[in-house]
Amino acid sequence: MQDHTGTHADFGSGMDPAVARHYGNPQLEVAILGALTATGRDIDHLQPDDLLTVDEFHIGGVQSARDLALAAGITAGSRVLDVGSGIGGPARLFASHYGATVVGVDVTPEFVRTAASLTERTGLADQVAFVDASALNLPFADEEFDVATLLHVGMNIADKGTAFAEVARVLRPGGVFAIYDVMRSAEGDLAYPLPWAATAAISFPASRAAYEDALGAAGFTVERHRDLRDAGIEFIEAMPKPAQGERPSPLGMHLVLGPDGRTRMTNLLHAMKAGLLAPVELIARKS
């Protein structure tokens, strides 16, 4: 794998700095390492699975990332680009469980730094690298990757057409673009905050039809899709809910979502039950 460690690319959109501010937390790595220590982990010798309750912050958790990896055909030797890689959960999963080499890109510097640190601590730094970059301006050569993934990221991307065209550029012919996003099922007002946005200013969920149009314009053929609304509702409803006055478990998605994480997830659940939003998996192939 070409060494992309430490690469920095200019933001590709006026929205990207606002998105970075939304997710940014200078104390994120310290908080995660403290929670790991509190739950008995050796932070200098972590296993990837030690992080599953905090680094797979998308509906369905790690199982949804595994499902996407299988649908995308990720195997040993696959060169994978994870767009909007967060703190690196899916990227480490693709490397540790499927043998891929992975580069993750994200516009939030704290995510990139934390992802690199956790990857080093899990012994996967030779397979996984992270880059501070925008999906609208990917700092890679043409046809560099076999597979690209996008997990719960498109809701923060207004210009999906440019993002998908960039993904198409860096994928080899026949390469797979595997998307798992929260998409619009119907029009209607959304209550904020949501997990990806405190307000509508950086929130751009779109319909599956809009995704398919943008993919087609970028040179992809959509091969299949799965609407996972019912499974998503079940997943959110099953998430642990501390009793009144009780502290949450030290290690969990609240470390990334922040103190209003429960409100964010509740608003998402209500929108899904109302038929406004649904998690959808899309598998597309570059022509």
Side-chain angles (χ1 to χ4, degrees):
M1 179 176 70
Q2 182 180 344
D3 184 8
H4 298 292
T5 306
T7 301
H8 174 82
D10 292 336
F11 287 131
S13 163
M15 282 293 123
D16 285 342
V19 173
R21 287 193 297 272
H22 168 73
Y23 289 109
N25 174 5
Q27 299 302 311
L28 179 60
E29 182 184 354
V30 172
I32 292 173
L33 294 178
L36 288 163
T37 300
T39 53
R41 273 77 165 189
D42 178 355
I43 61 172
D44 293 321
H45 301 90
L46 293 172
Q47 298 299 315
D49 288 357
D50 290 336
L51 300 166
L52 294 182
T53 57
V54 67
D55 70 358
E56 296 281 357
F57 52 100
H58 32 262
I59 300 169
V62 66
Q63 187 58 52
S64 62
R66 288 174 177 152
D67 290 345
L68 197 70
L70 292 173
I74 295 174
T75 59
S78 295
R79 298 165 298 164
V80 179
L81 173 66
D82 186 28
V83 180
S85 48
I87 61 171
R92 285 187 291 273
L93 177 79
F94 301 154
S96 63
H97 285 255
Y98 301 96
T101 55
V102 190
V103 178
V105 298
D106 206 285
V107 297
T108 304
E110 293 90 345
F111 277 0
V112 174
R113 288 194 295 269
T114 301
S117 172
L118 295 175
T119 299
E120 181 73 32
R121 292 170 187 274
T122 56
L124 290 169
D126 59 337
Q127 285 179 259
V128 186
F130 297 95
V131 178
D132 179 358
S134 170
L136 307 184
N137 185 23
L138 295 171
F140 308 116
D142 294 357
E143 301 181 7
E144 189 169 335
F145 298 96
D146 303 309
V147 176
T149 57
L150 186 85
L151 287 86
H152 283 29
V153 174
M155 304 91 73
N156 286 126
I157 300 175
D159 188 357
K160 293 177 178 61
T162 296
F164 294 174
E166 272 291 273
V167 171
R169 179 183 64 79
V170 301
L171 278 178
R172 64 169 175 77
V176 173
F177 188 17
I179 298 171
Y180 178 52
D181 268 353
V182 177
M183 300 185 189
R184 273 280 191 180
S185 304
E187 293 302 315
D189 292 336
L190 300 174
Y192 290 89
L194 286 164
W196 60 88
T199 70
I202 58 168
S203 181
F204 310 103
S207 67
R208 177 167 62 86
Y211 272 74
E212 291 181 348
D213 286 346
L215 287 165
F220 289 100
T221 299
V222 176
E223 296 187 337
R224 57 190 182 278
H225 76 273
R226 290 198 303 157
D227 185 313
L228 297 164
R229 173 179 173 269
D230 292 343
I233 290 172
E234 183 178 345
F235 175 82
I236 296 173
E237 289 184 330
M239 292 176 67
K241 298 176 179 63
Q244 186 69 29
E246 182 184 359
R247 286 181 175 273
S249 170
L251 197 63
M253 285 196 289
H254 62 277
L255 294 173
V256 178
L257 292 176
D260 61 350
R262 188 169 180 180
T263 300
R264 293 172 184 271
M265 295 303 295
T266 297
N267 288 341
L268 175 58
L269 178 62
H270 289 166
M272 289 169 61
K273 286 187 169 181
L276 299 177
L277 297 173
V280 177
E281 180 185 278
L282 275 177
I283 307 299
R285 190 175 299 275
K286 179 180 174 180
S287 302

